[in-house]
Structure formats: structure tokens, C-alpha cells
């Protein structure tokens, strides 16, 4: 029912809009057959009769193309909002022929993407690629509307054939299956799992990797991913020129299939769908071009007498006709020169009638009132213009000096305007894929570079941490000169996202102290300690207490981690030794200079002697951690209080049982301690078979910090 209301509302709205374009005046000569294409006076626009816009002739087709928004209506969708699905882009081309004044037939091809998600209870999601083609009929109500108009409302219908390929997002990039909990979070195990307290949070990667038809093969069989549809739509055509038209429309495609989203009445339990077919709405615009219609002859809207009167018209009454007037609109009574421009006696660019000093010295610089400025005023204005220190603040065209500290002759602080700002940083680049080697060298050559992951899985690299815009802009200019032409100042928000430093975004934000962890010397050597390269992204639990980390994903898909930033090789080596004591035995020092990696032996001036040093970036995973600190264990239970009696009985027989008190207050019970995944897996199976704890599962630790099993396997490579 809501769809019907939407279509009726859209149709009424289009009729209302088109009514403004209907004109009611005399017609032009019969030889003019096109929409009004020329910049005639507004009063003459009413002479055009749109009934002569088009003379239907066969074999004179119209080609159209344009984008649209596709919105899905089916089983999958959030029923609690008015937008039950994600709107995605689609594109279409049309080839049409007008067979009468009211009716157009045509062929139409469209391709795009349908997508939808829902928060519950099924937490279903899908994305489907659509390819569609069909025949359409369009009716423009010419028989009922006034003939003098520049816009045509229309309705359309037809018959279509389409194919679709539907996929769903069930796993993250590491292969973990999503389990949606009632609180809206996503974990790596079911909420009903007895060990759900130890579930690890996941984040959807929105990569639709699972083919729905293959996934539901047992339930539905190999159903055809193609069907037919009947489109029903409304729109309006705006006549731009004799051969170009612009269409706005909305079409509901009523399909004959219920398989687009993979949810049907055959689904079981909470995943069961209704018996309605899957439909989708297309809102679009189309630019059409008449391929063969000839250009009409030009017909002047003016008579000879009207044209003669226009040739001698003087609109502003300054005695200079409009054809020769270079400054039309001069106020009444103002003296003008031969070109119709107001007199300017002193030649300062300010006409005498607004100049407050009509005899300014020749060549003098004047203000906005035409008054000559002295040297002190010019010097003050220059200081304001070139201010990079915050000495002057502009607020509603008023210059306010900053606050001065009490003392030295001041008895009290001066008043000032305080502007609160959020943290400012210089963005060096954003990468959604791997960083090329040459760009990696540039990024790691920046002493104060930081990396931050965004919600769309891209990584943003920034430099500095500033509380004032001039400081950030100065740093930006330095970085541009150091090989980052795209460097720009941005605001880093509390959630890690970035905003443009507009006046609106800067106003009212808290000022932060300008700090940098290292001196940003772009001309010196930057030493870092590398902690390996890994095929999977690692959590910060792996690098806890390892210092400030920078993560870089290489073109080979490896994740490279470096710690710290030092200007001397001695400090870098000291940091490396400290990290070795913390479990990162394979950590090593790397050096960067002039936007590229250089040998540490050469950069240190002989302090470090060359010893099997290679400059090649690793092509395969290389771990830097002490593998003895990576252990696998078997978790047999987790309880807020003491375990039930039957579990205590099982635990009493279990060798090597250990209770760990977690920060949440939960008691975690683990057994065994293994250095390899295979041994731990074997022990887990034994726990289930021999001791009757069927729901036992593997957990992993690095330096007593719990990490994922996948991370543990990665660290052991």
C-alpha cells in the first residue's frame, strides 16, 4: 500500500510542477515547431505554442542516457524505518520512437546494484548485480493538457527481462563467521554459546563473498537467477532545446521472482520470508537527444518597430544609449563620461559620488572609502594579512589582539576572544589498498607520522598534532616541500574520522596544546624499529607496551609494523634492545632519509657496521616476536561465580587446569599450554572425548595477553 501511495504522490507532484510551465497567450507563426530555445524577453515567452514542439515522423528515434538510484523492497530490510534498504546506483540507456503526439515506444537497458541490510531478527544482508532490458510505453497526457507548455508529465509501463547475481556477507576478511547478538554487536560465536562470554567482537567488512544460490542450494535447488518484471512509473519531461530534453522519473519494477534477496517462505524459522515478490524502485534522470530532427528556422520575437525602439533605449537615463553604455545602471543625476561611466577625478577606482576623498594623491593606496592610507596603516594591514602567529584574530570584521600575560607594566590580563579548536593534523595520504614501496619510504621518512584505520577499512597517514591553524598550515607547507604535494590540514575528530578545517568546524571546538612526540626534522635521518611483516592485520594486544606504532600495508598484502621514531641510531638501538626484552627478539633498526629507506650502516656514519643488511622489503610473512611467548590453551569454561557442581567434578580430573580472573570479573578456566596449534587442537579433542567437555575451544596468548588464534598462528610463521 505504501508503494501505491508513493506513486500517486509522485504523479500529483509532477502534475503540479508541470502546471507552472503552461502558458496562455497568442501563438507564433505556424512555421515554428520547437520548444522555446532562444533568450527572448520574458513577455515574449508566452507566444510559444508547445503543441508545435514535435511533428511525429517514423525513423527519427531519440537516444537517452542517465543514472538512477535503485531501492530494494522485499523480505530483507529494516521494517522500522521508511528506508528499508541501501540505495545503490544504476545506469540506463534508452532508444525510443514517438508514434503519435501522446505515445512513445522504446527499448531500455539498465544495469546497477541492489542492496539491503536489516538489524534483526534475521540480520540478513545481500548485494545483487542487476542487468535488465525491455520494451516501454510512455504516455504524456497531450490529449488532456493545454497545448502551450514547456514540460510534459508522463506515465510509463512495459515488460522487462532481467538477470541478477546475489551474494551475501557472512564472513570477515580473516574468514570469521558473523554472529549477530541482540545488542546489535557482531561476535565470532553465537550469543547462546555457553562460552559466549569470551566472544571476540568483529566488524563487518561489507564484502559480499558468499553466493546466495550456492549457500541455499539444498533448500531451494539451483533456481534460475533471472526473471521478468513489469515497470510502472511516472515522471516529467523538460524541454531544454529543440533536440535536447531532460526527464525526471520514478519507476517501480514489479518482478516475478522472490529470490533476489535469497529469502522466501521456504526458509525455516526466524529466516522465513513472506509470499510477496521482490520489487525495487528506480528514481532517475535521463538526458535525451533527438538524433535526426533538423534545427528550426530562427524567428525573431520582435517586430521592426520594436527593434528600432530598442536600438535607441537609455535604461538608466544618463544620456548614453544602452548599446554604447559601458556602465549601465548609473544612479540618477550622476555625471558620466562618453562611455556612460561615473566620473573619477583622482583616478583611484572610486567614482566621485561615493569617494570620501575626491582629491587623493596620485598613485596613493586607498581604502574601501577612497581615502589615502599612511605608512603606519599600510604596515598594520600588512601584519594582519601576513599574520601566521595568531597575533591578530578576526571576528565579525573586528580585529582583536590576543591576550597578554600580566606583568611588565600590565596590572591585569587584557581581554581577548578565545576560539576553541579540535586537534589539527596534516593528512599525508589515504590508502584503501597496499602502499607502494616508494610511497612507503616517504611516509616512514616523516618523523611524526601516524596511521589510523577508518570505518571504510582505508588507512589515513597523518603528521603532527596541532592546536592552532597557523601551526598546522606551517607544517603542511613544510611537508609539501618535502615531497607531499597533496598534504592538507584536517581536523581529527574524537571518533578518528577527519573533517575539513572550515570556520564552522573550527568554531566552538576545544583548543588543544600543540605537541609532537619527536622533532619533525625532515632533512635528517629517521630511525625506526621494525617488528616484522605479517599476512594478517594484528590487534594492538600483540604490541602492547611496544611504544608508538605505525602500521603500513604493502602492495604484497603484508602488514608491516614499526615502533618509535628517533633522530639518533643510539636511541633506536636502545629501543630495539628494550623491545627484545619484552618479547620482540627479531626486532631490527631501519633508517629513512630523503623519502626513502637507506642502509643503517651508511646513515649512522659508521657507528653501525654492515652485517648482512638487506634493503629489500619482505615478500613473505616474517615475525619478530619470541615464539616461546606464544601459547595455545584450551578454554573449558567461564563463569561469573563458581562453576556448577557437575562442571567442578569434570574440572577436578582435568590436568593442568588454571583459573584466570578477567577484568570483567569473569573466571576463565583454561587447561594445557602448547607451542603449536596442532598439539593444542589434539588436546582439545581429548578434553571433549575423555572428560566430557564437548564445548571446549582453543584460545591463544602472547605474553599472557589474550589474542585471537589466527593472530597466534600468524606470529608463529
Amino acid at each position: 500500500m505504501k508503494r501505491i501511495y508513493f506513486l500517486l504522490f509522485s504523479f500529483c507532484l509532477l502534475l503540479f510542477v508541470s502546471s507552472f510551465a503552461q502558458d496562455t497567450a497568442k501563438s507564433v507563426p505556424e512555421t515554428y515547431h520547437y520548444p522555446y530555445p532562444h533568450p527572448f524577453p520574458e513577455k515574449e515567452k508566452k507566444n510559444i505554442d508547445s503543441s508545435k514542439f514535435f511533428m511525429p515522423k517514423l525513423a527519427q528515434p531519440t537516444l537517452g542516457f542517465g543514472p538512477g538510484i535503485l531501492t530494494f523492497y522485499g523480505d530483507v530490510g529494516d521494517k522500522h524505518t521508511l528506508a528499508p534498504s541501501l540505495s545503490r546506483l544504476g545506469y540506463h540507456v534508452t532508444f525510443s520512437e514517438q508514434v503519435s503526439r501522446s505515445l512513445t515506444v522504446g527499448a531500455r537497458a539498465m544495469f546497477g546494484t541492489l542492496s539491503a541490510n536489516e538489524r534483526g531478527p534475521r540480520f540478513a544482508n545481500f548485494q545483487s548485480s542487476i542487468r535488465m532490458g525491455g520494451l516501454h510505453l510512455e504516455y504524456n497526457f497531450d490529449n488532456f493538457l493545454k497545448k502551450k507548455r514547456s514540460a510534459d508529465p508522463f506515465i510509463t509501463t512495459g515488460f522487462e527481462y532481467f538477470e541478477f547475481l546475489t551474494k551475501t556477507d557472512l564472513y570477515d576478511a580473516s574468514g570469521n563467521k558473523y554472529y549477530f547478538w541482540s545488542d546489535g554487536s557482531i561476535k565470532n560465536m553465537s550469543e547462546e554459546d555457553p562460552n559466549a562470554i569470551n566472544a571476540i567482537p568483529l566488524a563487518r567488512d561489507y564484502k559480499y563473498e558468499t553466493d546466495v544460490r550456492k549457500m541455499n542450494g539444498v533448500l531451494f535447488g539451483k533456481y534460475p537467477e533471472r526473471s521478468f518484471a513489469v515497470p510502472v512509473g511516472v515522471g516529467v519531461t523538460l524541454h531544454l532545446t529543440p533536440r535536447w530534453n531532460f526527464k525526471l522519473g520514478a519507476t517501480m519494477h514489479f518482478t516475478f521472482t522472490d529470490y533476489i534477496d535469497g529469502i522466501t517462505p521456504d526458509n525455516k524459522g526466524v529466516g522465513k520470508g513472506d509470499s510477496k515478490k521482490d520489487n525495487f524502485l528506480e528514481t532517475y534522470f535521463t538526458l535525451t537527444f533527438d538524433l535526426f530532427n533538423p534545427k528550426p528556422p530562427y524567428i525573431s520575437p520582435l517586430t521592426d518597430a520594436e527593434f528600432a525602439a530598442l536600438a535607441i533605449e537609455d535604461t538608466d537615463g544618463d544620456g548614453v544609449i544602452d548599446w554604447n553604455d559601458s556602465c549601465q545602471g548609473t544612479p540618477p543625476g550622476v555625471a558620466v563620461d562618453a562611455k556612460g561611466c561615473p566620473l573619477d577625478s583622482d583616478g583611484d577606482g572610486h567614482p566621485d559620488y561615493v569617494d570620501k576623498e575626491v582629491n587623493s594623491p596620485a598613485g596613493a593606496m586607498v581604502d574601501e572609502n577612497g581615502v589615502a592610507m599612511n605608512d603606519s596603516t599600510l604596515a598594520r594591514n600588512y601584519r594582519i594579512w601576513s599574520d601566521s602567529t595568531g597575533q591578530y584574530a578576526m571576528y565579525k570584521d573586528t580585529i582583536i589582539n590576543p591576550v597578554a600575560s600580566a606583568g611588565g607594566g600590565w596590572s591585569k590580563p587584557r581581554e581577548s576572544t578565545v576560539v576553541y579548536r579540535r586537534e589539527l593534523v596534516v593528512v599525508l595520504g589515504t590508502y584503501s589498498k597496499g602502499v607502494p614501496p616508494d610511497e612507503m619510504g616517504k611516509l616512514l621518512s616523516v618523523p611524526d607520522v601516524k596511521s589510523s584505520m577508518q570505518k571504510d577499512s582505508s588507512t589515513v597517514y597523518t603528521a603532527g598534532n596541532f592546536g592552532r591553524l597557523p601551526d598546522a598550515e606551517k607544517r603542511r607547507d613544510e611537508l609539501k616541500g618535502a615531497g607531499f604535494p597533496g598534504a592538507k590540514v584536517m581536523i581529527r575528530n574524537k571518533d578518528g574520522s577527519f573533517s575539513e578545517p572550515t570556520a564552522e568546524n573550527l568554531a566552538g571546538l576545544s583548543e588543544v596544546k600543540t605537541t609532537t612526540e619527536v622533532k619533525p626534522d625532515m632533512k635528517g635521518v629517521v630511525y625506526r624499529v621494525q617488528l616484522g611483516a605479517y599476512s594478517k592485520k594484528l590487534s594492538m594486544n600483540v604490541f602492547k607496551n611496544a611504544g608508538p606504532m605505525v602500521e603500513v600495508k604493502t602492495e604484497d598484502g603484508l602488514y608491516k609494523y614499526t615502533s618509535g621514531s628517533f633522530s639518533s641510531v643510539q636511541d633506536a638501538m636502545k629501543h630495539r634492545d628494550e623491545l627484545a626484552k619484552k618479547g620482540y627478539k627479531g626486532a631490527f633498526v631501519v633508517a629513512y632519509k630523503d623519502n626513502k629507506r637507506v642502509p643503517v650502516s651508511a646513515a649512522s656514519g659508521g657507528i653501525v657496521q654492515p652485517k648482512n643488511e638487506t634493503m629489500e622489503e619482505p615478500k613473505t610473512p616474517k615475525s619478530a616476536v619470541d615464539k616461546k611467548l606464544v601459547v595455545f590453551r584450551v578454554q573449558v569454561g567461564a563463569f561469573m561465580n563458581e562453576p556448577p557442581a557437575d562442571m567442578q567434578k569434570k574440572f577436578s580430573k582435568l590436568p593442568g587446569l588454571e583459573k584466570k580472573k578477567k577484568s570483567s570479573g569473569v573466571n576463565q578456566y583454561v587447561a594445557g599450554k602448547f607451542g603449536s596449534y596442532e598439539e593444542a587442537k589434539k588436546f582439545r579433542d581429548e578434553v571433549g572425548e575423555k572428560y566430557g567437555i564437548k564445548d571446549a575451544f582453543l584460545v591463544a596468548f602472547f605474553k599472557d595477553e589474550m589474542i585471537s588464534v589466527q593472530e597466534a598462528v600468524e606470529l608463529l610463521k
Side-chain angles (χ1 to χ4, degrees):
M1 186 61 70
K2 289 182 179 179
R3 301 169 188 165
I4 298 175
Y5 288 155
F6 175 83
L7 292 174
L8 291 176
F9 173 79
S10 301
F11 178 65
C12 294
L13 179 62
L14 291 170
L15 287 179
F16 177 77
V17 171
S18 66
S19 66
F20 282 93
Q22 297 176 8
D23 300 315
T24 57
K26 61 183 180 180
S27 62
V28 296
E30 289 292 321
T31 54
Y32 195 85
H33 301 309
Y34 292 86
Y36 190 73
H38 307 293
F40 299 153
E42 188 68 24
K43 62 182 180 180
E44 295 299 329
K45 215 171 179 182
K46 297 180 180 179
N47 292 346
I48 302 304
D49 184 352
S50 65
S51 64
K52 302 180 177 62
F53 280 3
F54 180 79
M55 301 298 291
K57 294 181 181 180
L58 296 178
Q60 292 191 359
T62 298
L63 181 66
F65 54 92
I69 299 295
L70 305 181
T71 305
F72 178 75
Y73 289 85
D75 295 294
V76 176
D78 190 346
K79 309 303 181 183
H80 304 290
T81 67
L82 296 178
S85 60
L86 300 174
S87 296
R88 294 296 182 91
L89 278 175
Y91 303 90
H92 63 270
V93 293
T94 62
F95 193 80
S96 58
E97 178 83 26
Q98 192 157 354
V99 295
S100 72
R101 296 182 55 84
S102 303
L103 191 64
T104 301
V105 298
R108 190 175 192 272
M110 186 270 287
F111 58 93
T113 302
L114 292 175
S115 185
N117 292 289
E118 62 182 19
R119 292 195 295 264
R122 289 178 299 223
F123 295 99
N125 62 80
F126 81 97
Q127 178 174 287
S128 184
S129 300
I130 299 293
R131 298 180 299 275
M132 173 177 285
L135 299 176
H136 286 232
L137 292 175
E138 181 180 301
Y139 179 73
N140 65 8
F141 299 93
D142 180 81
N143 297 334
F144 303 96
L145 299 178
K146 294 181 179 180
K147 304 305 178 185
K148 300 170 184 177
R149 63 183 186 272
S150 57
D152 291 327
F154 66 84
I155 59 174
T156 183
T157 187
F159 194 73
E160 303 167 323
Y161 171 83
F162 72 99
E163 297 178 344
F164 57 95
L165 177 60
T166 303
K167 294 187 176 182
T168 184
D169 180 16
L170 299 182
Y171 303 90
D172 66 9
S174 299
N176 298 304
K177 185 177 181 180
Y178 301 132
Y179 289 90
F180 297 86
W181 287 30
S182 58
D183 61 359
S185 63
I186 306 176
K187 302 292 180 65
N188 68 337
M189 63 178 65
S190 172
E191 190 172 4
E192 289 76 29
D193 193 298
N195 297 294
I197 190 68
N198 300 303
I200 299 174
L202 301 177
R204 277 192 63 193
D205 58 3
Y206 292 92
K207 294 181 180 179
Y208 299 85
E209 76 288 328
T210 304
D211 189 291
V212 170
R213 184 170 70 168
K214 294 180 180 178
M215 180 187 69
N216 290 339
V218 176
L219 184 62
F220 299 143
K222 194 174 181 180
Y223 58 85
E225 290 183 304
R226 56 186 179 273
S227 185
F228 298 93
V230 174
V232 177
V234 297
V236 62
T237 300
L238 306 176
H239 304 289
L240 304 179
T241 71
R243 303 180 71 179
W244 288 96
N245 294 321
F246 183 81
K247 288 186 175 183
L248 291 171
T251 299
M252 180 65 79
H253 298 264
F254 297 95
T255 77
F256 295 171
T257 181
D258 194 21
Y259 289 112
I260 294 180
D261 55 11
I263 304 293
T264 75
D266 294 333
N267 290 79
K268 308 300 181 182
V270 71
K272 185 175 182 180
D274 56 36
S275 59
K276 298 179 181 178
K277 302 299 183 182
D278 294 335
N279 305 315
F280 61 95
L281 176 68
E282 179 187 12
T283 54
Y284 62 91
F285 74 80
T286 307
L287 196 63
T288 66
F289 178 70
D290 193 324
L291 295 176
F292 299 102
N293 273 2
K295 295 183 178 180
Y298 177 80
I299 300 176
S300 173
L302 303 175
T303 63
D304 292 342
E306 289 173 329
F307 187 83
L310 182 63
I312 59 173
E313 189 171 3
D314 179 13
T315 305
D316 54 11
D318 59 1
V320 181
I321 63 175
D322 291 347
W323 288 116
N324 301 325
D325 198 337
S326 300
C327 302
Q328 295 190 29
T330 304
V334 174
V336 299
D337 58 19
K339 294 183 179 181
C341 294
L343 298 179
D344 180 12
S345 302
D346 53 11
D348 61 359
H350 295 265
D352 290 349
Y353 76 96
V354 296
D355 196 339
K356 294 185 178 181
E357 187 180 56
V358 296
N359 57 347
S360 300
M365 298 185 68
V366 298
D367 60 17
E368 65 273 10
N369 296 315
V371 179
M373 296 183 290
N374 56 28
D375 291 342
S376 61
T377 302
L378 289 172
R380 178 174 177 271
N381 289 346
Y382 175 77
R383 288 195 298 271
I384 295 171
W385 173 79
S386 62
D387 177 31
S388 63
T389 64
Q391 180 181 359
Y392 301 95
M394 297 298 295
Y395 182 72
K396 295 185 177 179
D397 300 327
T398 300
I399 302 171
I400 303 173
N401 288 323
V403 65
S405 301
W410 290 99
S411 60
K412 61 180 181 179
R414 297 168 57 190
E415 293 182 355
S416 66
T417 301
V418 179
V419 179
Y420 295 96
R421 298 189 178 106
R422 195 175 286 139
E423 180 183 72
L424 292 163
V425 297
V426 180
V427 173
L428 304 176
T430 302
Y431 299 85
S432 57
K433 297 181 179 180
V435 180
D438 56 337
E439 295 185 39
M440 184 190 307
K442 289 174 57 178
L443 290 172
L444 294 177
S445 295
V446 179
D448 49 349
V449 69
K450 294 182 180 179
S451 60
S452 58
M453 179 73 74
Q454 300 299 293
K455 292 181 179 179
D456 60 357
S457 297
S458 64
T459 302
V460 178
Y461 294 90
T462 64
N465 174 20
F466 307 95
R468 300 188 321 110
L469 188 58
D471 295 337
E473 291 176 335
K474 182 179 180 180
R475 182 79 171 111
R476 175 203 61 194
D477 296 340
E478 179 191 15
L479 287 163
K480 284 187 175 181
F484 294 90
K488 59 180 179 179
V489 176
M490 297 289 284
I491 299 173
R492 191 204 305 273
N493 301 312
K494 292 181 179 180
D495 62 354
S497 62
F498 295 88
S499 304
E500 295 285 345
T502 62
E504 180 180 359
N505 289 338
L506 288 172
L509 300 180
S510 298
E511 183 173 336
V512 297
K513 183 180 179 181
T514 297
T515 60
T516 52
E517 297 177 358
V518 294
K519 182 180 178 181
D521 182 8
M522 296 299 298
K523 297 181 180 179
V525 180
V526 177
Y527 296 96
R528 300 182 182 277
V529 179
Q530 186 162 320
L531 299 178
Y534 306 89
S535 60
K536 304 292 183 183
K537 178 180 173 65
L538 303 180
S539 66
M540 286 301 103
N541 281 347
V542 176
F543 303 109
K544 191 174 182 180
N545 301 320
M549 302 294 300
V550 177
E551 175 192 281
V552 179
K553 184 180 180 181
T554 69
E555 280 189 325
D556 296 322
L558 298 180
Y559 290 86
K560 176 179 175 181
Y561 294 89
T562 63
S563 173
S565 176
F566 307 92
S567 58
S568 72
V569 68
Q570 293 92 337
D571 291 339
M573 294 174 67
K574 181 179 178 181
H575 184 59
R576 178 204 62 188
D577 294 340
E578 291 174 350
L579 289 175
K581 295 177 182 178
K582 294 178 180 180
Y584 307 98
K585 295 179 62 176
F588 57 95
V589 177
V590 290
Y592 295 88
K593 185 179 181 181
D594 298 330
N595 292 337
K596 61 182 180 180
R597 184 177 170 185
V598 296
V600 176
S601 56
S604 65
I607 297 177
V608 177
Q609 296 298 319
K611 186 179 179 181
N612 301 325
E613 185 176 8
T614 176
M615 298 299 299
E616 293 185 4
E617 295 293 342
K619 303 295 183 181
T620 58
K622 185 177 181 180
S623 176
V625 305
D626 184 353
K627 295 180 173 57
K628 295 179 180 178
L629 299 178
V630 180
V631 296
F632 297 92
R633 310 197 71 174
V634 176
Q635 179 167 320
V636 293
F639 306 91
M640 186 64 68
N641 300 308
E642 290 299 318
D646 59 332
M647 293 301 296
Q648 290 187 22
K649 185 177 180 181
K650 294 179 181 180
F651 288 173
S652 64
K653 301 177 182 179
L654 199 61
L657 183 68
E658 183 180 350
K659 181 172 75 171
K660 289 179 172 288
K661 189 76 172 183
K662 303 183 71 174
S663 58
S664 60
V666 174
N667 295 315
Q668 181 186 29
Y669 293 85
V670 294
K673 186 176 291 187
F674 305 93
S676 72
Y677 176 79
E678 291 75 14
E679 292 177 354
K681 185 178 178 182
K682 182 178 179 181
F683 180 67
R684 181 203 61 187
D685 297 339
E686 181 182 342
V687 167
E689 296 173 1
K690 186 176 180 179
Y691 300 97
I693 306 176
K694 300 295 185 181
D695 54 357
F697 60 93
L698 294 183
V699 292
F701 295 86
F702 175 64
K703 298 192 304 180
D704 291 329
E705 289 290 336
M706 190 170 180
I707 61 176
S708 70
V709 174
Q710 293 86 346
E711 288 177 324
V713 172
E714 187 68 23
L715 293 176
L716 292 176
K717 288 183 178 178

